[in-house]
Amino acid sequence: MLDIRMIRETPEVFDAAMQQRKSDVSSGDVLAIDAERRAKIAEAEAAKAEQNAASKQVGAAKASGDEAEFERLRALVGEKKDAVARLNEEAKACDAKLSELLMALPNIPFADVPEGDDEEDNVEINRWGNPRNFPFEAKEHYELGGVIPGMDFELGAKLSGARFVVLSGAVARIHRALAQFMLDTHVDENGLTETWTPVLVNEAMMYGTGQLPKFGEDSYQTTEGMWMIPTSEVTLTNTVNGETLEENELPRRLTAHSQCFRSEAGSAGRDTAGMLRQHQFEKVEMVSITHPEQSRAELDRMTRCAEAILEALLLPYRTVVLCTGDMGFGAQRTHDIEVWLPGQGKYREISSVSVCGDFQARRMNARFKPAGGGKPEFVHTLNGSGLAVGRCLIAVLENGQQEDGSVELPVALHPYLGGKSVLTPFGTLV
């Protein structure tokens, strides 16, 4: 959520940012509601002062025997009391209206974020590895002979519907191995704290990280009103919801492996083949809660954590900075990491790492106490995939594919597979 003081003090900055983010809300729209709210509060305070002054005079009028003045003052006290109640309710309604509007506004991009409309305007900042030259036509993951026995889309559809899959045997084990490898790397090498959290959250938590109110259609809600998390960013970030931390507790770096659920609203017809875009998937998430002065550097650190996973798996990738038109709702700057998929002959997103500044912290009321004293300040939050497990499985299978339908698996995974190194054309590990 944006700071109303920033909009008051620098409306031109706000308007330029909203134009970049393709929002049709102007500073005038926000400040008109804010001005009305402040006017109602001022009127209520003035009426309260008049009520108090009249109340003091009532007793004196009664004591002097001036019955007419007594009745006038008593009526005035009642009138002002009613006015105070009415104005406070009107101010409360304006406050709710302002809060609703602020909750729906996207974050302000950093000045160094490239301007643009969509993914075509994103800017590459890093590239690692060379896509392999296959002496045969590369297949997509679901076409590989060794994968077909362990990746059942028909059974997934039977059990749950479109965009679900059942993994079994060797493919399921590779999928699990990838998640374990990612977690161990983030904990042992990157210093993140492993965390296990629920996949069902209450509505306040979804508001806290910005999934609500604007993006409710992208997630699943139960009949009891709980929400299924689209990513454990929701739970990990909300661990500081309503908290005031000590400055020496920052940065707080967390990681979790969780099931994630997305309705994929608006993606009809996109990536319908294979398991690239599913309603249920697994992800290893990274979240950092930082001091405001550390958050920009933390973005680069988290990006490297995600990139290093791909490098350890020998998967070619590129990293891009998202332009203003392609960046997520709560982000100030986002680095997307795209892994090379030979079956498609293109790079596809496998991680998105974002710095949100105090945008989520304001929604969650998450602060820290400066070590030198002074008023508590809002923390800064960051989140990123480290990585999407299913998409990493796709990349491992496609990049390691052999002409006979087998797959050579990355050395980094061998310890997690009991020393086995190959997925055979028959769907077994050897």
Side-chain angles (χ1 to χ4, degrees), residues 332-389:
Q332 290 183 301
R333 180 180 169 100
T334 296
H335 297 163
D336 265 14
I337 304 172
E338 301 173 350
V339 69
W340 177 254
L341 297 184
Q344 294 190 5
K346 63 176 69 172
Y347 290 96
R348 296 300 302 266
E349 178 199 336
I350 196 169
S351 174
S352 190
V353 187
S354 298
V355 56
C356 300
D358 63 8
F359 186 81
Q360 293 177 324
R362 288 182 180 279
R363 301 167 79 99
M364 299 185 299
N365 192 25
R367 304 170 186 258
F368 72 96
K369 296 178 185 176
K375 187 178 178 181
E377 301 176 29
F378 288 109
V379 298
H380 279 197
T381 62
L382 302 94
N383 63 81
S385 309
L387 306 159
V389 182

Side-chain angles (χ1 to χ4, degrees), residues 114-284:
E115 288 193 42
D117 297 325
D118 52 37
E119 62 185 19
E120 297 299 322
D121 297 314
N122 296 338
V123 177
E124 184 176 313
I125 57 173
N126 186 34
R127 186 179 288 241
W128 185 90
N130 297 311
R132 175 180 157 202
N133 291 318
F134 290 86
F136 56 90
E137 184 176 351
K139 294 181 178 180
E140 295 202 55
H141 58 286
Y142 56 88
E143 300 173 321
L144 297 172
V147 174
I148 291 172
M151 189 176 289
D152 196 330
F153 297 98
E154 290 186 5
L155 182 54
K158 172 186 172 181
L159 295 174
S160 304
R163 295 189 189 272
F164 288 92
V165 66
V166 173
L167 303 181
S168 63
V171 175
R173 186 172 182 182
I174 298 168
H175 185 264
R176 173 165 56 89
L178 283 165
Q180 291 299 111
F181 166 68
M182 293 173 194
L183 274 178
D184 286 351
T185 301
H186 289 315
V187 172
D188 297 337
E189 298 182 19
N190 300 329
L192 280 66
T193 299
E194 183 174 355
T195 313
W196 189 90
T197 64
V199 296
L200 283 172
V201 294
N202 62 48
E203 196 158 272
M205 301 303 104
M206 295 285 278
Y207 271 94
T209 44
Q211 280 74 27
L212 294 178
K214 195 169 183 180
F215 303 103
E217 66 174 8
D218 294 329
S219 298
Y220 292 107
Q221 187 177 27
T222 70
T223 54
E224 292 80 15
M226 301 285 280
W227 290 82
M228 302 180 78
I229 60 170
T231 162
S232 56
E233 169 203 345
V234 176
T235 46
L236 293 177
T237 307
N238 274 292
T239 57
V240 295
N241 191 312
E243 300 292 325
T244 300
L245 308 177
E246 298 294 335
E247 184 174 345
N248 61 13
E249 296 181 69
L250 303 175
R252 182 176 289 187
R253 294 166 174 154
L254 308 172
T255 186
H257 168 219
S258 74
Q259 298 283 347
C260 306
F261 305 88
R262 293 184 185 171
S263 67
E264 294 294 345
S267 67
R270 295 174 57 198
D271 300 314
T272 55
M275 60 177 293
L276 194 70
R277 193 180 296 274
Q278 299 277 285
H279 291 310
Q280 176 183 341
F281 57 97
E282 294 183 22
K283 189 147 69 83
V284 173

